[in-house]
Amino acid sequence: PRPMTHDEEARLFSVLPDRFKSAVTVALHTGLRLGEIRAQAWRDVDLDTATLTVTAPKSGHREVLPLNTTAADLLRRLPKDGVVIFSGIPADFSRMFARIARAVNLDVTFHCLRDTFISRLAPHVSGPVLMQLARHRDFRTTRRYLKVDGEHLREAVERLTPDVLIQEALQPSRA
């Protein structure tokens, strides 16, 4: 598995059958695994608080995820006529997904959606936050997504400087 670029995501959606687009979008915005997507029940979604309790988590432990605006809005628009949210996802969807992706020269699996979710979050959150959102049990798993370079370090230390002082420092001297 590997993260997808935004361009690859657009190419995938250009060939993805409409009936699967909602599930793939939710996976990209929650990091849910295919089995979790297929099992996710409406009873475990709270659209008032924009949270989702994973119905069948891999860990076997209770896992509650915040839903971003994209995922929450999408779920609000879906019909709530069944027990599970994505009842139309076939058992062999993993193979089907890879075949669909190959139609636009992408060598990706459904699990790449999870990697994409985690990788896109990594530059914007702390290690512990990423670990919790990725639902990893071991920080060593999370650590592989944390890439630190000079620019990340510069951005980090600049957060300590109040905006007012930055603006004052950038103004030409009046003396």
Side-chain angles (χ1 to χ4, degrees):
R2 65 167 181 82
M4 294 189 324
T5 66
H6 289 285
D7 175 64
E8 289 173 327
E9 179 184 339
R11 286 172 34 212
L12 174 66
F13 272 84
S14 75
V15 295
L16 195 63
D18 288 343
R19 67 184 186 274
F20 301 132
K21 287 181 179 178
S22 294
V24 169
T25 300
V26 169
L28 279 167
H29 288 268
T30 61
L32 289 173
R33 299 168 179 93
L34 180 55
E36 294 167 339
I37 286 281
R38 291 184 72 239
Q40 191 59 50
W42 280 114
R43 73 173 185 274
D44 295 322
V45 176
D46 185 337
L47 293 172
D48 292 331
T49 62
T51 57
L52 177 149
T53 301
V54 183
T55 301
K58 177 183 173 185
S59 69
H61 297 100
R62 184 173 192 270
E63 298 175 345
V64 179
L65 300 173
L67 295 170
N68 68 14
T69 304
T70 300
D73 287 348
L74 185 149
L75 290 170
R76 280 186 189 94
R77 291 191 310 268
L78 290 178
K80 292 152 188 69
D81 52 4
V83 174
V84 296
I85 299 171
F86 303 108
S87 59
I89 304 295
D92 67 340
F93 189 64
S94 185
R95 254 191 319 261
M96 184 185 296
F97 180 89
R99 189 174 63 246
I100 292 167
R102 281 194 300 274
V104 286
N105 297 318
L106 291 177
D107 185 22
V108 295
T109 64
F110 192 89
H111 199 76
C112 292
L113 303 175
R114 180 171 164 73
D115 273 5
T116 301
F117 166 78
I118 298 167
S119 295
R120 288 180 182 173
L121 277 176
H124 308 289
V125 299
S126 67
V129 169
L130 185 63
M131 183 177 173
Q132 187 166 350
L133 289 171
R135 299 174 294 127
H136 292 148
R137 295 289 167 244
D138 188 326
F139 188 71
R140 288 176 292 187
T141 306
T142 306
R143 194 171 48 209
R144 72 181 191 161
Y145 294 94
L146 300 173
K147 295 173 179 58
V148 178
D149 61 21
E151 188 57 31
H152 288 110
L153 298 174
R154 171 73 48 213
E155 288 173 11
V157 296
E158 288 302 333
R159 289 185 180 145
L160 298 174
T161 308
D163 289 342
V164 173
L165 294 178
I166 293 172
Q167 293 305 317
E168 287 175 6
L170 295 176
Q171 296 295 325
S173 174
R174 295 183 192 171

